Amino acid sequence: RSHYFIQSILRMRNPDELISEILSNTTASPTNNPTHTMIAAGYPDNLQADPTADKVIGTLLLMCVVLGTTANCLALYYLVFKQKCVALVSVLYMLLCVLGVVVCVMTTPVVVSMLADRRPVIFSHSRFCEIWDRMFRTVLPTSMFVVAMLSTSGCVTIVYGSRVSTPRRYVLTAITGYAILCLVISVLKRVFEDAVYDRDMGFGVGRRQQGTSPAWDTAIVLISLLQIGGVWVVVGLSLTVSAWNLHGRTVRRSLRARHRVSVTICLLSALFLLFHLPLLLTTFLRGISLHEAYPRPYFTSHFMGLYSWVLAKILLPALNMTLNPAVMCWRIPGFAIWMRVRDNFPEGRLKRRTTYLESLTRTLTVNPNILPVTV
């Protein structure tokens, strides 16, 4: 207020009138100008982002866009057209690759904003900002739920073996229903929220409209905690049980292929827990701070205010999606052979080598123990 009072003296204006004018300019409703996004005002501390840190984050996100999209597309191509397996694990791998492509591509506007000193750029259009926020709130929780289903099915296979099989139809129905539920929640948010570009977060978000009860923020935070925390706990429990049952177990030769798949699922689950833990903690702190005006008391520091959300919600999930195909290439023998064939053989010999690879893949599908497998 003292800052506004000094400006009012210099401009010979009433301080209250000046404050009202500034607030009306920074929080104008997007319905008055539907082609431009409302930009959220900065924090009271007047925090300034570090241009070097923004460039580093933008560069890492750009690498995720390029490498993550390419790697997930290659993995999806192999799973669909080369492996041609309709087992539950393969279908979940395919879904994870598709969602990985979508997440990596959707980080492109954030890349542009971070490399442009946090200017809205692509987010400047209100309609795009709104669509991006709704889609990202649907795709990211759905990808987390797919990992939970993958981890749970792997845990069931490790504990019970072939005695219990996870019904593929029920798992896919649950994933579809969860995605529809997230989409419905995102669409309903439009009634109570406006799409804004938050300069401090670096991406488009939804902000509660004026006149809406503060209980709406509480409901949104609780839903986010259930979406993130519930999935994280399920994956953590499944990973713990799986690791406990795999530790020290002597694997028969006839079960080595199934054991290798179980270890792959454990690695993907561990990556998920590591890269999504900051998002869980950040959302939990956001829930604790509901009794005070956000960003107080936990998001007023330089790091928490300017970098916690873009790292936890954008960068780390994108890195997770980028590393998932690398784990698949490392753990799936046919995928690794296919990648080496594409890299080491020229185009003239590639067709002949690909025919051999397809026959080898069919043989491994029928009898996975024809080759020694190192676990």
Side-chain angles (χ1 to χ4, degrees):
R1 186 175 180 85
S2 60
H3 174 69
Y4 295 145
F5 182 73
I6 295 174
Q7 289 190 7
S8 65
I9 294 176
L10 296 176
R11 302 183 188 182
M12 301 300 294
R13 297 280 300 279
N14 189 320
D16 295 331
E17 295 179 357
L18 183 61
I19 293 176
S20 301
E21 180 181 346
I22 293 175
L23 291 179
S24 63
N25 291 333
T26 56
T27 61
S29 176
T31 56
N32 297 333
N33 191 359
T35 60
H36 295 282
T37 302
M38 177 175 59
I39 301 177
Y43 290 144
D45 306 68
N46 196 21
L47 301 177
Q48 297 295 328
D50 185 3
T52 304
D54 288 348
K55 296 296 187 298
V56 171
I57 294 175
T59 304
L60 291 176
L61 285 174
L62 182 60
M63 292 175 58
C64 291
V65 172
V66 177
L67 298 179
T69 304
T70 305
N72 280 283
C73 288
L74 288 174
L76 182 63
Y77 180 83
Y78 170 77
L79 293 171
V80 174
F81 297 103
K82 298 300 178 181
Q83 192 182 54
K84 299 179 181 179
C85 182
V86 293
L88 177 61
V89 175
S90 298
V91 174
L92 293 178
Y93 284 165
M94 296 176 194
L95 289 176
L96 199 59
C97 291
V98 171
L99 294 172
V101 172
V102 177
V103 170
C104 291
V105 171
M106 288 190 67
T107 58
T108 304
V110 186
V111 173
V112 177
S113 297
M114 298 302 292
L115 295 179
D117 298 329
R118 301 209 177 201
R119 291 191 297 271
V121 193
I122 304 179
F123 285 116
S124 59
H125 197 282
S126 62
R127 183 62 62 183
F128 175 83
C129 188
E130 177 183 339
I131 294 175
W132 185 92
D133 179 54
R134 306 304 182 239
M135 287 187 60
F136 198 80
R137 290 188 182 188
T138 302
V139 173
L140 186 60
T142 303
S143 65
M144 298 168 64
F145 190 77
V146 170
V147 176
M149 291 293 99
L150 181 64
S151 179
T152 304
S153 62
C155 179
V156 171
T157 303
I158 292 173
V159 175
Y160 296 101
S162 59
R163 294 172 296 174
V164 178
S165 60
T166 306
R168 185 182 62 178
R169 180 179 60 182
Y170 295 151
V171 173
L172 297 180
T173 302
I175 294 174
T176 305
Y178 186 80
I180 294 175
L181 178 62
C182 293
L183 181 61
V184 170
I185 294 175
S186 300
V187 172
L188 289 178
K189 289 178 181 179
R190 189 182 186 281
V191 181
F192 303 99
E193 293 181 349
D194 292 326
V196 301
Y197 172 75
D198 195 312
R199 185 183 291 109
D200 298 311
M201 292 186 179
F203 52 89
V205 297
R207 287 293 173 86
R208 177 168 52 89
Q209 297 177 355
Q210 294 183 358
T212 306
S213 173
W216 174 253
D217 289 339
T218 305
I220 292 300
V221 172
L222 290 178
I223 292 174
S224 300
L225 283 175
L226 288 176
Q227 289 178 331
I228 302 170
V231 171
W232 201 91
V233 171
V234 170
V235 175
L237 290 176
S238 301
L239 177 62
T240 303
V241 174
S242 302
W244 178 264
N245 284 271
L246 288 174
H247 178 67
R249 174 184 291 185
T250 302
V251 183
R252 293 181 297 176
R253 186 178 182 87
S254 59
L255 299 177
R256 283 186 178 180
R258 179 176 296 176
H259 185 271
R260 188 179 185 89
V261 173
S262 302
V263 174
T264 304
I265 294 175
C266 290
L267 291 175
L268 293 175
S269 302
L271 277 179
F272 170 83
L273 294 176
L274 177 63
F275 284 99
H276 286 80
L277 179 60
L279 180 58
L280 175 62
L281 296 178
T282 305
T283 307
F284 181 72
L285 292 178
R286 176 69 177 91
I288 295 177
S289 62
L290 283 175
H291 65 282
E292 297 191 25
Y294 184 82
R296 289 181 290 270
Y298 301 107
F299 294 90
T300 55
S301 64
H302 187 268
F303 174 79
M304 293 297 294
L306 297 175
Y307 297 103
S308 60
W309 286 109
V310 69
L311 291 177
K313 193 173 182 179
I314 305 296
L315 179 59
L316 292 180
L319 285 174
N320 184 19
M321 293 298 181
T322 304
L323 293 178
N324 283 339
V327 176
M328 296 179 190
C329 182
W330 173 38
R331 298 295 304 177
I332 302 177
F335 190 18
I337 295 174
W338 181 68
M339 291 297 295
R340 286 197 295 269
V341 166
R342 292 183 61 86
D343 292 339
N344 299 333
F345 288 87
E347 188 67 25
R349 301 171 58 189
L350 183 59
K351 183 176 181 180
R352 196 164 57 249
R353 192 70 178 179
T354 303
T355 305
Y356 164 74
L357 176 62
E358 291 176 352
S359 62
L360 177 62
T361 303
R362 287 194 296 268
T363 305
L364 288 174
T365 303
V366 176
N367 185 9
N369 304 307
I370 194 172
L371 293 178
V373 179
T374 303
V375 179

